[in-house]
Amino acid sequence: PEKDLKDKTEKAETRIKDWLVECHYHTEVRKVLEDSAIVGVGILKGPVPTLRRSKKVQQDENDETAMVIVEETVPASFRVVPEDFFPDPACGEDIHDGNYIFERDTLSKKRLLELKSAEGYLSDQIDKVIDEGPGKQNYSDEIRNDNKTDDKDIFEVWYFYGMVDVDDLDAMDVSGLKPESEKNLVPAIVTLINDTPIKAFLNPDDMGDFPYDVVPWQNVQGCWYGIGIARQGRTPQDMFNASGRALMDNSGLSASPMLVVRDRDIRPADGSWGLNRGKIWLATENADMRSIKDVFHAVNIPSMQAELLGNMQEARRMMEEVTGIYFIMQGQQGDAPDTVGGMQILNRNSFVFFRRFARVFDGCITEPHIRRYYEWLMEYGEDDEKGDMQIEAIGSTALVEREIYAMQAMGMLQLSLNPAFGLDPEKASDEVLKAQRFNPDKWKLDDEKKAQMAQQPPPPVPQVEAARIRAETDLRQTKMNNDLKAYAIKQDTDRDTVYSAGIARRDKTNAQLKLQELMLRKDLAILEHSSKSGMSLDKIKADLAQTAMKLNLQERLSTSGIGGEVLKPPVEPAGRAPDGKSFQY
């Protein structure tokens, strides 16, 4: 029935998720991604049978509690260091097309002794390895060696995955062999130390598949590995390093001048030709110089920092282009346009790289890896977790799509506020919270608050609200225009006032200059008159002063009504002739 199949699928999915969480799958995958980006290939191994110990509390028949240690064999996944992975060189681009795989590891003497009591290990072979010590190897007759070992207490362990002769496995007491089998070679796993096998068992996978998955950063044709970011950007990295070294060299040279000294004409007072502050130089007795530049000249090396920094910037741009990883993906805007539309375009373009690598990772790691976990479940899991299922592993791609969905959900929430689109704002807000990994139920209003909000007046109709907003906007715009006009008028008035004040200052200045000019002309006329008449300047000033005194006295006598003549007036004094009858003959 469909319901039973759905229940089995959910149980199987839950079981595999539990296994992945217990072995810290996400931590190991992050290491694989780092290896892929740095070295060019990442390797994930699993599922591998692992002994897991856990503690739990149990109650016995007397209701007494006790803590017990539970041991069980569970599958686990591990990251493999690329330097310790050696597949068949004839495998091409797929390691599963090769005949074998070697993996290198290390064990201390303590850990090696613990393996003697483990199931499947050959204790006599382990004793032999310990007697030989770490680093011992067997060589052919053509190559002789004294088999000396170093002093390190670390044993190099090799794990072999491939086809092994049945007779060899039988000699190591491997269980599960079928004597009636017509095959001479069967898939097996052999552990070797110092070229000595210490354990062998049949591959749990009857097809002999290797429990390894590799993901290259950038494929290399005909090779199972790839090239990483460092190899992709090797040329711009060399450019950047060379420009940086040249920049530092140029800074050192341009910071201090080069000196050209004629040593026969000058010598240092302290006897040292090095430069320091307050240095004293002495001219020799036979010095022949007109200027200090003749014997002592400083040459400044030009600074090329602008050109070298331009080279470094160009190297950064080339690094972005050849690797496909832009600095904007790391939070650096750079020369990106500081606009909403420009940033959205750049964000979409940066997602292209993530989508591509996520799909590559799912195809190389996630799908085959989870498929082997499902096969493990089919063989060792519970019956209610088994069924005819197909693995659709889209984990990495789903993570990328989820991040993109979270970014776009906010825009959909804005659209839901417009009833013209027919979207539900409550559902849109739930999706936004889910995209941000929040529980929408924790943010919803309770029934009491909903009832209070229902009693409040409904919000204004969008058309009326829009009309009100437009009216307020027009009013603010009119007020703004009036303020601008008043400000312009005030500015014009201020300019006129400033202009009038400037004209008045100019006229006043011109009048003062004219007065000074007249005073100078008067003085010059007096000097000229005195020179022509032979009179001295003091005599002229005295005559002028006497005449001025007489004029003042005559003015006072005329205005006081006393009468009397002090001077012969050029016009009739007041009271001598009737108005309009003066100067008549």
Side-chain angles (χ1 to χ4, degrees):
E2 183 178 355
K3 185 178 182 303
D4 294 341
L5 182 59
K6 183 177 180 180
D7 293 340
K8 290 183 177 181
T9 303
E10 292 177 352
K11 291 181 179 180
E13 181 179 358
T14 303
R15 178 68 65 183
I16 294 177
K17 284 183 178 180
D18 291 342
W19 286 337
L20 296 178
V21 171
E22 290 170 356
C23 70
H24 304 287
Y25 174 81
H26 298 292
T27 302
E28 300 298 321
V29 166
R30 279 192 289 270
K31 296 178 183 178
V32 172
L33 291 174
E34 292 178 358
D35 290 338
S36 178
I38 298 173
V39 183
V41 64
I43 306 168
L44 186 65
K45 180 181 180 181
V48 178
T50 306
L51 184 63
R52 187 186 66 181
R53 294 183 176 90
S54 60
K55 298 179 182 179
K56 66 178 182 179
V57 177
Q58 289 183 345
Q59 292 183 347
D60 56 12
E61 298 177 353
N62 300 325
D63 292 337
E64 294 182 357
T65 59
M67 181 177 294
V68 296
I69 298 178
V70 179
E71 294 183 352
E72 58 179 340
T73 302
V74 295
S77 297
F78 304 96
R79 162 248 189 179
V80 178
V81 179
E83 290 81 359
D84 295 335
F85 188 72
F86 302 91
D88 185 359
C91 66
E93 297 184 5
D94 190 353
I95 62 171
H96 297 282
D97 293 338
N99 295 321
Y100 60 85
I101 288 179
F102 277 99
E103 180 189 351
R104 179 175 56 192
D105 197 2
T106 56
L107 283 177
S108 64
K109 184 177 180 180
K110 177 183 177 181
R111 294 290 305 277
L112 189 58
L113 289 173
E114 293 176 356
L115 294 179
K116 293 180 62 177
S117 58
E119 182 181 358
Y121 284 91
L122 304 176
S123 58
D124 55 342
Q125 296 290 83
I126 294 177
D127 292 335
K128 175 186 175 184
V129 169
I130 293 176
D131 293 339
E132 294 173 347
K136 184 263 180 186
Q137 292 179 339
N138 296 323
Y139 291 86
S140 60
D141 296 338
E142 289 79 8
I143 303 177
R144 297 295 181 182
N145 189 279
D146 55 3
N147 292 334
K148 290 182 178 180
T149 61
D150 53 22
D151 296 332
K152 296 180 180 179
D153 191 20
I154 298 297
F155 291 85
E156 193 174 62
V157 184
W158 293 88
Y159 301 102
F160 172 84
Y161 292 81
M163 306 299 291
V164 182
D165 190 274
V166 174
D167 296 336
D168 295 336
L169 294 176
D170 186 53
M172 289 184 286
D173 296 331
V174 175
S175 60
L177 292 176
K178 298 179 180 180
E180 66 276 7
S181 175
E182 298 179 356
K183 298 180 179 179
N184 294 327
L185 298 176
V186 294
I189 303 173
V190 182
T191 303
L192 302 97
I193 301 179
N194 289 355
D195 292 343
T196 300
I198 62 173
K199 181 181 179 180
F201 58 95
L202 295 177
N203 194 329
D205 192 331
D206 296 336
M207 302 298 295
D209 292 339
F210 306 133
Y212 297 95
D213 296 305
V214 300
V215 53
W217 185 261
Q218 178 178 331
N219 291 328
V220 176
Q221 187 175 4
C223 299
W224 61 273
Y225 53 86
I227 59 176
I229 297 176
R231 178 62 182 84
Q232 288 177 331
R234 183 170 61 180
T235 300
Q237 183 67 54
D238 292 342
M239 290 177 55
F240 191 90
N241 294 340
S243 299
R245 287 191 292 267
L247 178 64
M248 299 305 296
D249 294 341
N250 180 256
S251 299
L253 291 174
S254 61
S256 58
M258 299 290 182
L259 300 179
V260 181
V261 182
R262 193 161 64 184
D263 56 356
R264 69 177 184 178
D265 295 332
I266 196 172
R267 60 184 176 85
D270 57 359
S272 173
W273 289 91
L275 294 179
N276 52 52
R277 187 174 62 180
K279 184 82 172 184
I280 299 176
W281 301 84
L282 303 177
T284 61
E285 297 178 354
N286 299 326
D288 181 15
M289 61 180 180
R290 297 182 181 87
S291 173
I292 189 61
K293 294 183 178 180
D294 296 338
V295 295
F296 202 97
H297 183 66
V299 180
N300 292 319
I301 304 299
S303 176
M304 307 297 292
Q305 291 189 9
E307 291 78 1
L308 293 173
L309 287 174
N311 291 343
M312 297 175 70
Q313 188 66 26
E314 179 65 17
R316 291 182 60 182
R317 187 189 64 81
M318 291 178 59
M319 175 67 79
E320 291 180 337
E321 292 184 354
V322 299
T323 60
I325 298 182
Y326 294 89
F327 290 104
I328 191 174
M329 298 163 60
Q330 306 174 22
Q332 303 181 27
Q333 180 175 348
D335 298 331
D338 192 11
T339 60
V340 176
M343 296 304 297
Q344 287 179 350
I345 293 174
L346 290 173
N347 283 333
R348 294 194 201 100
N349 292 339
S350 63
F351 289 146
V352 174
F353 171 80
F354 288 118
R355 283 194 177 103
R356 184 195 68 83
F357 188 75
R359 291 187 176 92
V360 171
F361 186 86
D362 282 338
C364 296
I365 296 288
T366 308
E367 187 171 351
H369 204 79
I370 301 302
R371 185 172 59 248
R372 285 200 297 272
Y373 268 93
Y374 176 71
E375 294 173 355
W376 180 289
L377 180 66
M378 292 298 100
E379 185 170 357
Y380 303 105
E382 302 293 337
D383 293 338
D384 58 349
E385 299 173 349
K386 300 178 181 180
D388 187 9
M389 308 174 192
Q390 297 295 327
I391 301 299
E392 184 183 5
I394 54 172
S396 303
T397 307
L399 292 176
V400 175
E401 296 296 338
R402 186 172 62 182
E403 294 298 327
I404 300 173
Y405 179 82
M407 296 180 62
Q408 301 298 330
M410 291 300 298
M412 300 304 297
L413 179 60
Q414 296 294 330
L415 292 178
S416 66
L417 300 178
N418 190 338
F421 293 100
L423 302 178
D424 190 345
E426 184 176 357
K427 293 181 179 179
S429 63
D430 290 347
E431 291 299 321
V432 171
L433 292 174
K434 290 178 182 178
Q436 300 296 331
R437 299 173 182 83
F438 292 110
N439 185 3
D441 296 335
K442 295 182 179 180
W443 300 81
K444 290 183 179 297
L445 294 172
D446 53 24
D447 296 337
E448 182 178 355
K449 291 185 178 180
K450 286 184 178 180
Q452 294 177 358
M453 293 184 63
Q455 296 176 358
Q456 297 178 358
V461 180
Q463 291 80 0
V464 178
E465 183 68 13
R468 185 185 63 80
I469 293 175
R470 283 196 297 269
E472 293 179 355
T473 303
D474 295 339
L475 182 60
R476 286 195 296 268
Q477 184 67 33
T478 303
K479 185 178 181 302
M480 186 182 298
N481 293 336
N482 294 335
D483 293 341
L484 289 175
K485 290 180 180 180
Y487 180 76
I489 293 173
K490 183 178 181 301
Q491 290 294 104
D492 293 339
T493 304
D494 293 342
R495 284 196 295 268
D496 294 340
T497 303
V498 172
Y499 178 74
S500 301
I503 294 296
R505 286 195 298 271
R506 185 194 67 183
D507 294 342
K508 182 179 179 180
T509 303
N510 292 338
Q512 292 176 354
L513 293 175
K514 189 68 175 178
L515 179 60
Q516 292 178 2
E517 183 182 356
L518 292 175
M519 295 297 293
L520 289 174
R521 286 183 179 181
K522 184 191 78 169
D523 294 340
L524 291 175
I526 293 173
L527 290 174
E528 184 179 359
H529 176 69
S530 65
S531 63
K532 288 181 179 181
S533 60
M535 298 173 65
S536 65
L537 181 61
D538 294 336
K539 179 68 171 56
I540 293 172
K541 290 182 178 181
D543 293 343
L544 289 174
Q546 184 179 3
T547 303
M549 292 174 61
K550 291 179 178 180
L551 290 173
N552 292 333
L553 178 60
Q554 183 66 57
E555 180 183 3
R556 287 197 296 273
L557 290 174
S558 299
T559 57
S560 63
I562 299 176
E565 292 185 358
V566 181
L567 292 174
K568 180 70 176 178
V571 296
E572 286 294 330
R576 290 293 183 91
D579 295 339
K581 300 299 184 179
S582 297
F583 294 95
Q584 289 187 0
Y585 295 94

